């Protein structure tokens, strides 16, 4: 009958006639749709913002070719040979663009003025504009070639420096001098004009004539520092790049587009999706119960229709039309409300200012909802709503005609088949136990190979199912307690426990809604502590070699400028208590003739460095009574050494994921290190220098994690003479280590505003890099806090929406029980006893659901934290998952009181007036 208009007409008319009940049903049914729409909006915003970021800072750039070997870039002949292989003329399906590029600090003024605007770590890049026009055919910027002395600066960088077209921008050269370039234009960053290197790490893009770029980079005439490549066929993969056979060993391929694509995938999308799944899971049960309650309320009508000749199938079709209309209304309502709430969610988590990031990736996230995402998401929401109401409506019109006309069909059906019900309960209980066993395995013993998407999906599914399983077991225990106690429990307790057995579906839905609300709050509390602990300033050292701040210099002139600035600038003289110079030696060391070589930083142990940096040891030899004695030994003895903790024997097998020395050491052992003058010798070549040391101790990480790889990787502490020998003959810095030395600053980093001023003055004064790690960590921690607050806000909103649905369910449930309550009052049960029974019932269901939620949320947070930290090195300790007991206890108490209140209002309404009036209302 669904194909006939009368079914839809009757359904619509009935929904209009009972407007109040329809509004409650639509409100309850919209909850799942709303949360799904919110999650969809968040996904669309992250996805679209990521795509726009890719377009701005990469555009056609898919790969970057870096020269192999000792050569200073690509020669003109080699770059031409590589480029000739692509562009359609050669065998390779790529276009190539040779570039000369170098990170540079940009200035708005030619003078070393600490007050002038500066932009550190921008990318100065030069290329032939004719080749760029072929490389990026959609851009008109390259139609007019750049002349020497002209530049293009992306609009974001120009705004930061306060420059416009026609102004002059200055960039520092390796010798410390500043070169000025007239801005021909300041276009919005897009493709080549916004390219900022790998992972878009640079802060701006300055496009120059190639000769100007070579001068800044210190490259020979006609050479190039890298070659950019783009696929001619966009359908080709960015995971790998073909190489002509004759060019083996010419270059190394950097998969810059693939790395950037990985950065656009935010784990927060997964976490919010998990929370949405839990809410959708519970709302599905809620919507099912709403539809079943509607079917019960129509039982008498369909009983009459069947009595006058309609079949059970026809009666069910009439209700399906009404249920589908209800599902459509609730779906559309939920989508509209969810899109508005999703916009607020994105603004709350990420904000609108430039630089708000997802996963510290540097990708600004703005509210977006692409049309394909909207259409697919809306269709999915409506389809889910339709399937849920269709599945629930199959029970409409069931049962005998006489029972339906009396309004007791459902009760009658529930009362039959005790043996069958017992079997079903036993099977459900056994399945619940299996699910809980799987969750216990995930929580304490599961060790997946890698925390990929499938692993996270399995975690989420089993975790959500465990909440339902635990809720079901508690419900079965409650029913068993009711059957066991019987009349001995008293009238109020008997009536309270009777309902859970009489209406198991509704009881389960109520308990599950409370469980999911508490589960998501507990889960979020645990994971939030993990996120905040990872970025907390208290988590590890906040400095470089024990000093609170530093400035890096790339030339002798730059060093002298920095020292002069520290002496003459009043703000710096007041803020900086002292400074010391150090030049780390990055050497390629080996433990044996056959072992692999790895970069290792060697630092001299000098009194001013040890005292000013407050260097700490993880372990020292028993011959030393204090750390100071161990440091003094290295200062006095050329054959003593203090190694980084990566060399320490922890008594565990090294992880296969990471490279480790083939032997692990203890204090007092002897270690022999080999060094090579040339970093590119064949494997097995004996080292040019062998040195034997006695291990005086192992050092704590005295440098912030964010700076370790860039400046002092695997810091090893040696006698000054050993350091000098390595620095003069074996110093081989990595390509990213452009600095010549460091000026370490002793200062109090607690004044964040002053820290900002110090860094700004150092950069404006000409430092190639300057930072106060504590300041950067506090900023990252503040960003994480805001992220967590948004995450908590979404969780609280989803819990509140779920509880709103619970209120609707309780209200509908009480309306359906009004006749039963009136009959009990007619039989002599007092209104006070009934009210006590109803309040006890609400308290029991709410409290048991909340306890199930706490247990499920606790195990879920631990399981997710274990898996996310499953690839730590043996020497790294996983961060603990902490739960705020006071907060969770307060929320548990609040929700328990709310459970009582949600029952109190409907109970008072159902018991108002005389029993006869209640019967009349129920029959109306």
């Amino acid at each position: 009958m669904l194909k006939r208009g009368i079914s839809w007409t009757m359904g619509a008319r009935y929904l209009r006639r009972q407007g109040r009940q329809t509004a409650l049903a639509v409100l309850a049914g919209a909850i799942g749709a709303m949360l799904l729409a919110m999650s969809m909006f968040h996904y669309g915003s992250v996805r679209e913002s990521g795509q726009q970021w890719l377009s701005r800072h990469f555009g056609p750039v898919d790969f970057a070719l870096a020269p192999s070997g000792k050569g200073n870039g690509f020669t003109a002949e080699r770059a031409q040979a590589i480029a000739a292989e692509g562009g359609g003329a050669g065998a390779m399906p790529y276009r190539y663009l040779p570039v000369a590029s170098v990170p540079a600090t940009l200035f708005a003024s030619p003078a070393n003025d600490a007050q002038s605007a500066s932009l550190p770590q921008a990318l100065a890049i030069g290329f032939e504009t004719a080749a760029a026009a072929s490389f990026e055919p959609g851009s008109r910027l390259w139609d007019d070639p750049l002349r020497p002395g002209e530049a293009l600066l992306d609009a974001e960088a120009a705004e930061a420096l306060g420059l416009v077209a026609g102004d002059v921008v200055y960039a520092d050269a390796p010798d410390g001098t500043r070169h000025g370039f007239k801005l021909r234009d300041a276009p919005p960053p897009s493709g080549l004009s916004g390219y900022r290197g790998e992972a878009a790490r640079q802060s701006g893009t300055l496009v120059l004539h190639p000769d100007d770029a070579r001068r800044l980079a210190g490259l020979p005439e006609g050479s190039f520092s890298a070659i950019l490549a783009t696929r001619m066929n966009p359908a080709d993969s960015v995971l790998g790049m073909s190489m002509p056979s004759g060019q083996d060993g010419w270059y190394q391929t950097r998969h810059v587009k693939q790395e950037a694509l990985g950065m656009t995938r935010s784990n927060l999308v997964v976490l919010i999706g998990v929370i949405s799944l839990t809410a959708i899971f519970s709302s599905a049960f809620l919507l099912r119960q709403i539809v079943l309650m509607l079917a019960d309320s129509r039982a008498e009508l369909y009983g009459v229709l069947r009595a006058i000749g309609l079949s059970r199938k026809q009666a069910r079709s009439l209700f399906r039309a009404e249920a589908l209309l209800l599902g459509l209304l609730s779906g559309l309502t939920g989508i509209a409300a969810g899109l508005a709430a999703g916009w607020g969610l994105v603004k709350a988590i990420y904000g609108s200012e430039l630089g708000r990031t997802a996963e510290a990736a540097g990708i600004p996230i703005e509210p977006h909802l692409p049309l394909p995402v909207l259409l697919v998401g809306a269709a999915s929401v409506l389809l889910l709503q339709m399937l849920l109401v269709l599945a629930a409506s199959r029970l409409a019109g069931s049962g005998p005609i006489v029972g339906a006309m009396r309004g007791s069909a459902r009760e009658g059906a529930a009362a039959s088949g005790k043996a069958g019900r017992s079997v079903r309960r036993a099977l459900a209980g056994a399945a619940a136990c299996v699910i809980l066993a799987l969750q216990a395995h995930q929580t304490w013993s599961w060790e997946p190979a890698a925390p990929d998407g499938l692993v996270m999906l399995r975690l989420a599914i089993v975790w959500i199912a465990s909440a339902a399983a635990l809720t079901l077991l508690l419900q079965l225990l409650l029913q068993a307690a009711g059957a066991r106690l019987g009349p001995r429990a008293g009238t109020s307790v008997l009536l309270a426990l009777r309902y859970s057995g009489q209406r198991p579906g509704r009881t389960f839905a109520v308990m599950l809604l409370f469980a999911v609300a508490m589960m998501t709050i507990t889960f979020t509390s645990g994971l939030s502590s993990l996120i905040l602990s990872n970025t907390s300033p208290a988590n590890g050292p906040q400095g470089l070699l024990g000093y609170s701040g530093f400035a890096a210099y790339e030339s002798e002139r730059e060093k002298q400028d920095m020292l002069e600035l520290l002496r003459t600038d009043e703000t710096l003289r007041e803020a900086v208590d002292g400074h010391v110079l150090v030049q780390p030696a990055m050497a390629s060391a080996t433990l044996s003739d056959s072992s692999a070589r790895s970069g290792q930083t060697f630092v001299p142990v000098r009194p001013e460095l040890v005292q000013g940096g407050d260097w700490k040891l993880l372990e020292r030899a028993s011959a030393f009574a204090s750390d100071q004695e161990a440091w003094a030994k290295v200062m006095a003895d050329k054959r003593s050494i203090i190694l980084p903790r990566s060399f320490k024997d922890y008594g565990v097998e090294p992880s296969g994921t990471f490279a480790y020395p083939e032997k692990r050491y203890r204090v007092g052992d002897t270690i022999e290190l080999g060094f090579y003058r040339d970093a590119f010798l064949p494997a097995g070549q004996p080292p040019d220098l062998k040195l034997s040391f006695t291990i005086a101790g192992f050092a704590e990480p005295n440098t912030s994690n964010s700076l370790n790889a860039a400046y002092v990787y695997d810091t090893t502490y040696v006698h000054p003479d050993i350091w000098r020998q390595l620095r003069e003959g074996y110093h081989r810095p990595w390509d990213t280590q452009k600095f010549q030395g460091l000026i370490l600053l002793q200062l109090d980093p607690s004044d964040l505003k002053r820290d900002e001023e110090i860094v700004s003055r150092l950069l404006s004064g000409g430092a190639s890099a300057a930072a106060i790690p504590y300041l950067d960590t506090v900023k990252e921690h503040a960003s994480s806090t805001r992220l967590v607050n948004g995450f908590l806000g979404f969780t609280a909103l989803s819990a509140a929406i779920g509880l709103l649905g619970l209120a609707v369910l309780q209200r509908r449930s009480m309306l359906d029980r009004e006749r039963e309550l009136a009959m009990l009052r007619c039989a002599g049960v007092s209104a006070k006893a009934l009210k006590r029974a109803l309040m006890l019932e609400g308290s029991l269901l709410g409290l048991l659901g909340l306890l199930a939620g706490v247990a499920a949320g606790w195990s879920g947070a631990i399981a997710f934290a274990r898996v996310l930290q499953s690839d730590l090195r043996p020497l790294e300790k996983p961060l603990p998952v902490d739960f705020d007991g006071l907060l969770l206890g307060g929320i548990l108490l609040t929700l328990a009181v709310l459970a009582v209140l949600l029952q109190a209002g409907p109970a008072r309404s159902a018991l108002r007036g005389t029993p006869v009036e209640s019967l009349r209302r129920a029959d109306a």
Side-chain angles (χ1 to χ4, degrees):
M1 289 184 65
L2 281 177
K3 297 181 180 179
R4 299 180 182 180
I6 188 173
S7 299
W8 300 98
T9 302
M10 289 182 63
R13 185 171 298 173
Y14 211 92
L15 289 175
R16 286 198 305 269
R17 280 181 56 192
Q18 298 198 346
R20 185 180 175 187
Q21 293 188 16
T22 300
L24 289 174
V26 168
L27 180 62
I31 290 170
M34 179 179 177
L35 292 171
L36 191 57
M38 287 175 62
S39 181
M40 173 185 69
F41 193 99
H42 177 259
Y43 165 76
S45 297
V46 173
R47 178 178 177 272
E48 185 66 17
S49 296
Q51 291 299 318
Q52 291 184 4
W53 177 78
L54 284 171
S55 176
R56 284 197 304 270
H57 300 305
F58 293 90
V61 180
D62 296 321
F63 310 97
L65 311 183
S68 298
K70 298 184 291 181
N72 190 8
F74 293 101
T75 63
E77 293 75 15
R78 179 158 289 188
Q80 184 177 4
I82 294 173
E85 292 291 338
M92 295 294 101
Y94 309 106
R95 289 190 182 92
Y96 299 93
L97 179 66
V99 300
S101 62
V102 63
T105 300
L106 305 183
F107 304 91
S109 168
N112 286 343
D113 182 6
Q115 303 290 344
S116 64
S118 64
L119 187 66
Q121 292 300 305
L123 182 69
I125 184 170
F127 42 75
E128 297 293 343
T129 51
S134 174
F135 190 84
E136 191 177 27
S139 175
R140 313 307 304 175
L141 284 174
W142 319 122
D143 292 347
D144 185 12
L146 280 173
R147 291 182 289 274
E150 286 188 335
L152 297 175
L153 180 63
D154 75 83
E156 294 171 0
E159 183 180 0
L161 291 170
L163 300 175
V164 296
D167 290 343
V168 177
V169 62
Y170 297 88
D172 58 349
D175 60 0
T177 59
R178 293 185 183 180
H179 296 270
F181 306 96
K182 185 176 181 180
L183 290 185
R184 191 177 77 183
D185 195 5
S190 178
L192 289 176
S193 65
Y195 181 64
R196 297 180 177 180
E198 295 180 45
R201 293 189 181 96
Q202 266 56 58
S203 56
T205 308
L206 180 69
V207 181
L208 303 170
H209 186 276
D211 289 339
D212 292 335
R214 291 187 188 100
R215 188 165 66 252
L216 286 181
L219 291 172
E221 182 179 355
S223 63
F224 298 92
S225 57
I227 298 176
L228 304 181
T230 183
R231 297 161 294 162
M232 295 180 65
N233 181 5
D236 290 346
S237 174
V238 295
L239 296 177
M241 184 179 181
S242 304
M243 180 186 299
S245 58
Q247 296 180 4
D248 291 343
W250 283 18
Y251 54 81
Q252 299 173 349
T253 303
R254 310 282 173 80
H255 300 81
V256 295
K257 181 64 71 66
Q258 176 62 21
E259 181 184 358
L261 284 169
M263 293 171 62
T264 64
R265 302 183 182 106
S266 169
N267 285 338
L268 188 61
V269 174
V270 177
L271 292 177
I272 287 184
V274 168
I275 298 299
S276 298
L277 281 177
T278 63
I280 293 167
F281 176 72
S282 60
S283 66
F285 284 92
L286 174 62
L287 182 58
R288 178 179 181 275
Q289 286 304 310
I290 291 295
V291 174
L292 289 178
M293 292 166 74
L294 279 175
D296 284 351
S297 68
R298 309 289 192 269
E300 294 180 40
L301 171 64
Y302 296 132
V304 171
L305 292 176
R306 287 179 60 196
I308 63 176
L310 264 70
S311 67
R312 180 180 283 111
K313 182 178 180 181
Q314 290 172 325
R316 187 175 296 133
S317 295
L318 288 174
F319 180 73
R320 279 179 176 168
E322 180 183 348
L324 286 172
L325 287 173
L326 178 65
L328 183 63
L329 283 173
S330 60
L332 292 175
T333 303
I335 289 172
L339 293 180
W343 184 89
L345 171 72
V346 171
K347 298 294 284 186
I349 293 180
Y350 303 103
S352 59
E353 71 274 13
L354 188 66
R356 283 297 305 144
T357 61
E359 301 299 311
I363 305 174
I365 305 298
E366 296 288 346
H368 292 287
L369 187 59
L371 183 60
V373 174
L374 174 61
L375 294 178
V376 172
S380 301
V381 170
L382 293 177
L383 179 62
L384 176 63
Q385 297 286 104
M386 299 298 106
L387 291 176
L388 286 173
V389 297
L390 282 176
S393 63
R394 63 185 178 82
L395 296 177
S398 61
I401 295 176
V402 175
M405 295 178 65
R406 291 175 177 173
S408 58
R410 297 273 298 148
E411 284 85 344
S416 61
K418 291 185 178 180
R421 287 204 315 276
S422 298
V423 172
R424 287 196 297 272
R425 288 176 183 174
L427 290 176
C433 290
V434 171
I435 292 172
L436 291 178
L438 283 174
Q439 178 62 16
H441 170 64
Q442 288 188 164
T443 304
W444 287 290
S445 58
W446 189 35
E447 295 182 359
D452 55 20
L454 290 177
V455 168
M456 302 301 286
L457 181 62
R458 170 184 161 174
L459 270 176
I461 290 175
V462 175
W463 171 54
I464 294 171
S466 71
L470 188 55
T471 302
L472 177 62
L473 289 179
L474 291 176
Q475 181 191 5
L476 294 177
L477 287 175
L478 187 64
Q479 292 176 3
R484 187 82 173 173
L485 291 175
R488 293 174 297 172
T491 303
S492 297
V493 177
L494 176 63
L495 291 174
L497 296 178
R498 175 176 173 268
Y499 184 74
S500 66
Q502 190 182 54
R503 299 284 189 174
R506 294 183 192 178
T507 301
F508 179 75
V510 170
M511 293 177 65
L512 185 63
L513 284 169
F514 274 110
V516 168
M518 196 65 206
M519 177 183 75
T520 53
I521 291 172
T522 306
F523 174 80
T524 305
S525 172
L527 283 193
S528 297
S529 72
L530 188 68
I531 294 171
L532 293 179
S533 296
N534 193 43
T535 60
S536 171
N539 184 30
Q542 301 302 320
L544 181 64
L545 293 177
Y547 284 77
S548 299
F550 75 95
Y553 58 88
E554 296 182 0
S555 65
E556 182 64 24
R557 176 173 174 176
E558 191 176 320
K559 180 182 77 171
Q560 295 303 326
D561 288 343
M562 286 295 97
L563 294 175
E564 180 66 20
L565 187 65
L566 289 171
R567 284 192 296 268
T568 58
D569 187 278
E570 184 176 350
T571 300
L572 295 178
R573 282 193 290 110
E574 291 179 358
V576 178
D577 299 325
H579 64 271
V580 63
L581 301 176
V582 65
Q583 291 181 296
M586 172 62 78
S588 183
T590 182
L591 292 173
S592 68
D593 291 348
S594 59
S595 73
R597 285 166 279 168
S598 62
Q600 200 169 331
T601 302
F602 292 83
V603 172
V605 180
R606 303 200 307 260
E608 66 274 18
L609 282 170
V610 176
Q611 295 167 8
D614 190 25
W615 290 350
K616 294 179 172 58
L617 292 179
L618 178 68
E619 185 182 3
R620 64 176 182 266
S622 58
F624 308 115
S626 66
D627 288 358
Q628 292 303 317
E629 287 189 16
W631 292 117
K633 178 65 173 177
V634 177
M635 272 189 277
D637 183 5
K638 295 182 182 180
R639 292 296 170 254
S640 291
I641 192 171
I642 290 179
L643 293 170
R645 66 177 181 177
S646 58
F647 282 76
K648 177 176 165 53
D649 186 355
Y650 283 83
V652 295
E653 288 295 323
S655 166
T657 310
F658 300 98
Y660 279 93
E662 53 266 45
K663 179 183 176 182
R664 309 305 291 277
Y665 294 87
R666 292 184 171 86
V667 290
D669 287 354
T670 298
I671 183 172
E672 185 178 76
L673 294 176
F675 300 92
Y676 297 83
R677 294 184 182 277
D678 194 329
F680 300 98
L681 291 176
Q685 185 80 13
D688 300 305
L689 174 68
K690 285 186 178 182
L691 296 174
S692 181
F693 300 96
T694 299
I695 302 173
F698 295 98
E700 288 276 15
N702 292 303
T703 298
S704 173
N705 286 334
S706 61
L707 300 174
N708 179 54
Y711 293 97
V712 286
Y713 181 75
D714 250 3
T715 311
T716 305
Y717 303 87
V718 295
H719 188 276
D721 290 348
I722 300 296
W723 162 81
R724 189 173 297 105
Q725 183 180 11
L726 297 176
R727 176 79 187 186
E728 292 174 354
Y730 301 90
H731 178 52
R732 295 290 179 271
W734 293 341
D735 292 341
T736 55
Q737 295 175 331
K738 304 294 186 182
F739 65 94
Q740 188 181 99
L742 303 168
I743 302 176
L744 305 179
L745 307 176
Q746 209 169 30
L747 51 87
D748 179 9
S750 59
D751 188 337
L752 302 182
K753 186 175 181 180
R754 191 179 65 173
D755 292 347
E756 293 270 15
E757 179 71 13
I758 292 170
V759 173
S760 175
R761 287 177 176 273
L762 290 171
L763 293 173
S764 298
S768 61
I772 297 176
Y774 178 79
L775 173 65
D776 297 335
T777 303
V778 168
K779 286 181 178 179
E780 183 182 358
H781 188 65
S783 175
S784 298
T785 301
R786 186 171 180 179
L787 201 67
V788 164
N789 288 341
F791 189 29
L792 290 171
F794 177 78
T795 303
L797 181 60
S798 66
I801 294 172
L803 292 176
L804 178 62
L806 180 62
V808 175
L809 179 62
Q810 294 290 67
R811 175 67 178 165
R812 287 286 324 209
S813 174
M814 207 59 67
L815 289 174
D816 288 351
R817 297 165 68 184
E818 197 166 9
R819 173 186 292 181
E820 178 186 347
L821 295 174
M823 294 296 293
L824 287 171
R825 291 175 67 188
C826 291
V829 181
S830 67
K832 184 179 291 187
L834 288 175
K835 188 174 182 179
R836 280 199 305 269
L838 293 174
M839 301 301 287
L840 179 61
E841 174 193 313
S843 302
L844 278 174
L845 298 186
L847 185 59
L848 290 175
L850 292 172
L851 292 176
V854 170
W858 174 80
S859 67
I862 292 178
F864 272 86
R866 278 189 69 255
V867 171
L868 288 173
Q869 300 183 91
S870 60
D871 58 349
L872 294 179
R873 309 182 187 202
L875 56 89
E876 293 177 330
K877 295 181 180 179
L879 293 173
V881 180
D882 295 322
F883 298 89
D884 190 332
L886 186 62
L887 174 65
L888 292 178
I891 293 175
L892 181 64
L893 181 60
T894 301
L895 292 179
V897 172
L898 186 60
V900 177
L901 295 178
L902 288 176
Q903 192 83 335
R908 189 180 300 109
S909 298
L911 296 174
R912 73 180 188 274
T914 64
V916 175
E917 292 173 344
S918 297
L919 284 172
R920 287 174 180 170
R921 285 198 304 271
D923 292 333

